[in-house]
Amino acid sequence: GSLDIVVAPEQTGLAAERITLLPPGAYAVRQALAFPGGGDAAALRWTAVCLGGGGEIWRHLAPVRPARGTYRAQISIPPGCGAQRWRLVASAAEGVAQARILHFSIVGAPSGQPGTHF
């Protein structure tokens, strides 16, 4: 349910990728972020697409602050989108020694239902 991501200075790369088989509907997505004290924050960008040509269903640039935070969003899985690919790209700014994110998780649930980790 969590990742420990370390990003070298001036680098960008795929930090995680996941395939889900969520049924169509509205979902609440929660991201929990924690940054170690004194470190620089990395930029995080999520994208989710329908596999099989359905196109992009969600894009999110996580707010970057070197502090703990929880961020929520709403997404909708359209009919005909039987499989989804989630990609998380992390990047560090120029001049940082090392960017790191601890205990990153993304949890989704149909609105009003218990959450499950993607």
Side-chain angles (χ1 to χ4, degrees):
S2 66
L3 297 173
D4 183 358
I5 301 169
V6 178
V7 185
E10 301 180 42
Q11 297 297 308
T12 296
L14 182 64
E17 184 173 42
R18 179 80 181 228
I19 304 294
T20 56
L21 303 173
L22 299 171
Y27 288 81
V29 177
R30 179 176 54 88
Q31 299 177 81
L33 301 175
F35 300 93
D40 292 302
L44 299 172
R45 185 179 73 245
W46 274 106
T47 57
V49 298
C50 289
L51 295 178
E56 188 173 274
I57 55 173
W58 190 56
R59 176 182 297 257
H60 179 73
L61 180 62
V64 178
R65 297 182 195 105
R68 183 176 302 269
T70 300
Y71 307 97
R72 291 175 173 76
Q74 298 290 320
I75 67 165
S76 179
I77 306 293
C81 181
Q84 308 84 36
R85 179 176 41 227
W86 300 76
R87 300 184 91 194
L88 175 64
V89 173
S91 60
E94 182 179 338
V96 302
Q98 180 174 314
R100 187 172 186 185
I101 304 98
L102 296 173
H103 309 298
F104 179 90
S105 64
I106 185 164
V107 177
S111 297
Q113 301 294 317
T116 55
H117 287 274
F118 285 179

